Amino acid sequence: MGGKQKTLAVLIGTALAAGLTSPAFGFTATTGAHLPTLRAATPGSGMSVVEWNRELITILSDPKAQPSTVHPTRSFALLQAAEYNAVVSITRAEPAYLFSVAAPRGARADAAANQAAHDVLVALYPAKRASVDRRLSSQLSAIPDGSGKQAGIRVGAAVARRLVSLRSHDGSAAKPPPFSPGNKAGDYRPTPPDFPTPVFTNWGSVKPFVLADGSQFRPAAPPAVSTAAYATALNEVKSLGSKTSTTRTPDQTAAGKFWAAAPVWNVWNQVAQDLVTSQNASLEKAVKVFARLDLSLADTTIAMYDAKYAYRVWRPVTAIRLGGTHYNPRIVGDPHWNPLLPTAPDPSYPGAHGALSQAAATTLAGFYGAHHRIAVTSKGVTRTFAGFQEAATEAWLSRLWSGQHTSLDNRAGQQLGTRVADFVARRL
């Protein structure tokens, strides 16, 4: 870690600093031969929360699981908020998220959490019901039968039903308006090599889970592309983020590819899975960790897209290729410049990895401490960090190293993620 920590320190110093379709979702057992063996968590432990989180990641690995215009962080937030509310409706040990439901004495919180998770996933992904039913059967089979178990099941079903209903008109199903690219210096336009059309153009108007609206923590406008500050930031990514860079180190290249290998919200949920598992967290602790994490990620995503389409800043590849148009005399254009990795199809400011990783790191440090050593694994590759902030910092720097973002984008994202996570933590 010594070399990587030194690199991070140097670069940090130079950086500019779906609706409810039926009235209830009762569990229906699925029978048949050759069903996969599913892990059943010990009753009362946090492992059931981990297993449902993994189930959602598996579902989302199918690109046809949901419309491409619905951001996955919404599903994580719904799942984890439902499990959290199901548990606190029974324990009353924590403040509820939006509402709680009546629960009789003796109701099993673990049964409630499992039923709530199942019903949310069935509501969101009815085509995946068979595997979700099997997961519930496995989890409930580990809980002793009795009135407490049945009462918990009813509590979980009621929570899921109400939460899905509350989110059924949040704007997430709206058809994004056609995107019209700008033609002035600094205006975002689709990027090479395939020039994909932006997808989440209206996600900033989706109703947040905790924030008042997507613009609540909108970052200040970035420096104009004609300024010295912008030139400094762009020249940095021009050198470090080029596909053929001679200034980027092998470890920076590896980090750039590592943080792009899987959706960053998946990566941070898997970090939480490892923490809950390794520390044998209780059910109550696990639902709180995941709820706060995924509500923060969901609202950061909404806030991030609000800002992206408020400012519509072009990506580095566009800025560098058009440098010869002399919009900034401090920038020397290169019409053949390519980033290390293909550019994501949305405006540059603020950076997504900066915002989402900072939100996740801020949330998890609040539970486990700033200096909790972690290992982050993506697509079979593991990188270790001395703390959550170090991992988040590498995540946003990786976007500079891969040619995706300037330090201006990353700094704004980092600030946004911190503010959203702190706001959510004060309310959950």
Side-chain angles (χ1 to χ4, degrees):
M1 287 286 294
K4 180 163 63 179
Q5 289 172 329
K6 183 177 179 182
T7 300
L8 288 171
V10 170
L11 279 160
I12 294 167
T14 60
L16 300 176
L20 197 64
T21 57
S22 63
F25 293 98
F27 167 64
T28 301
T30 301
T31 59
H34 311 298
L35 292 181
T37 301
L38 298 175
R39 181 175 181 179
T42 302
S45 82
M47 275 308 300
S48 64
V49 186
V50 170
E51 294 302 318
W52 284 111
N53 190 269
R54 289 174 178 163
E55 183 77 20
L56 177 54
I57 290 176
T58 298
I59 289 171
L60 290 170
S61 68
D62 177 0
K64 297 180 180 179
Q66 67 183 27
S68 61
T69 55
V70 176
H71 202 279
T73 52
R74 177 181 185 268
S75 300
F76 281 101
L78 277 166
L79 171 67
Q80 305 306 162
E83 289 189 84
Y84 174 84
N85 256 16
V87 171
V88 301
S89 287
I90 292 171
T91 66
R92 305 289 173 174
E94 300 283 353
Y97 168 68
L98 298 182
F99 67 88
S100 60
V101 302
R105 185 184 299 274
R108 294 284 303 236
D110 45 7
N114 283 307
Q115 190 69 47
H118 167 273
D119 289 6
V120 164
L121 292 184
V122 168
L124 295 177
Y125 308 103
K128 303 294 184 181
R129 179 160 194 153
S131 64
V132 176
D133 281 358
R134 290 195 295 271
R135 173 68 60 195
L136 182 61
S137 178
S138 174
Q139 299 295 344
L140 291 182
S141 68
I143 302 172
D145 290 332
S147 60
K149 177 178 179 178
Q150 293 305 313
I153 288 171
R154 290 192 294 272
V155 168
V159 165
R161 190 163 53 245
R162 186 169 175 184
L163 185 59
V164 172
S165 178
L166 284 173
R167 295 298 304 187
S168 62
H169 299 290
D170 60 5
S172 61
K175 183 179 179 180
F179 177 76
S180 299
N183 56 17
K184 296 183 176 126
D187 288 349
Y188 175 75
R189 71 256 353 230
T191 52
D194 299 324
F195 302 93
T197 300
V199 176
F200 296 108
T201 53
N202 67 334
W203 201 256
S205 63
V206 170
K207 178 179 173 59
F209 284 82
V210 183
L211 301 185
D213 59 67
S215 66
Q216 183 173 340
F217 295 123
R218 184 184 292 173
V225 297
S226 59
T227 62
Y230 184 78
T232 298
L234 187 68
N235 285 329
E236 182 182 33
V237 71
K238 181 184 177 186
S239 174
L240 283 169
S242 168
K243 190 171 186 178
T244 58
S245 174
T246 58
T247 57
R248 185 179 59 242
T249 69
D251 187 63
Q252 290 167 354
T253 300
K257 294 178 178 179
F258 174 85
W259 287 100
V264 71
W265 49 89
N266 281 11
V267 174
W268 284 105
N269 270 278
Q270 288 164 336
V271 169
Q273 292 172 13
D274 292 342
L275 290 166
V276 167
T277 301
S278 65
Q279 299 210 352
N280 297 313
S282 66
L283 175 66
E284 291 80 3
K285 175 72 173 286
V287 294
K288 188 170 184 178
V289 168
F290 277 102
R292 191 180 290 176
L293 171 66
D294 284 308
L295 289 170
S296 294
L297 289 175
D299 275 8
T300 298
T301 300
I302 293 169
M304 174 189 74
Y305 279 113
D306 165 80
K308 280 182 179 290
Y309 287 99
Y311 298 120
R312 299 186 172 217
V313 177
W314 62 13
R315 286 283 185 156
V317 64
T318 306
I320 293 167
R321 288 190 176 193
L322 293 179
T325 60
H326 308 297
Y327 65 87
N328 190 322
R330 303 168 188 84
I331 295 167
V332 177
D334 180 354
H336 304 294
W337 188 90
N338 283 305
L340 173 65
L341 300 174
T343 300
D346 52 45
S348 201
Y349 182 92
H353 274 59
L356 293 168
S357 292
Q358 192 64 37
T362 301
T363 298
L364 294 176
F367 286 105
Y368 297 101
H371 304 294
H372 189 99
R373 190 174 182 84
I374 60 170
V376 183
T377 299
S378 179
K379 300 294 184 181
V381 177
T382 300
R383 293 175 72 84
T384 57
F385 303 92
F388 299 107
Q389 186 58 62
E390 184 176 284
T393 299
E394 184 183 88
W396 65 257
L397 284 171
S398 77
R399 305 308 278 170
L400 189 157
W401 299 330
S402 60
Q404 307 296 299
H405 286 291
T406 68
S407 296
L408 297 169
D409 305 331
N410 289 331
R411 181 184 175 188
Q414 194 176 25
Q415 292 173 342
L416 177 61
T418 300
R419 296 182 75 181
V420 173
D422 286 342
F423 187 84
V424 171
R426 290 195 295 270
R427 284 154 180 79
L428 196 66

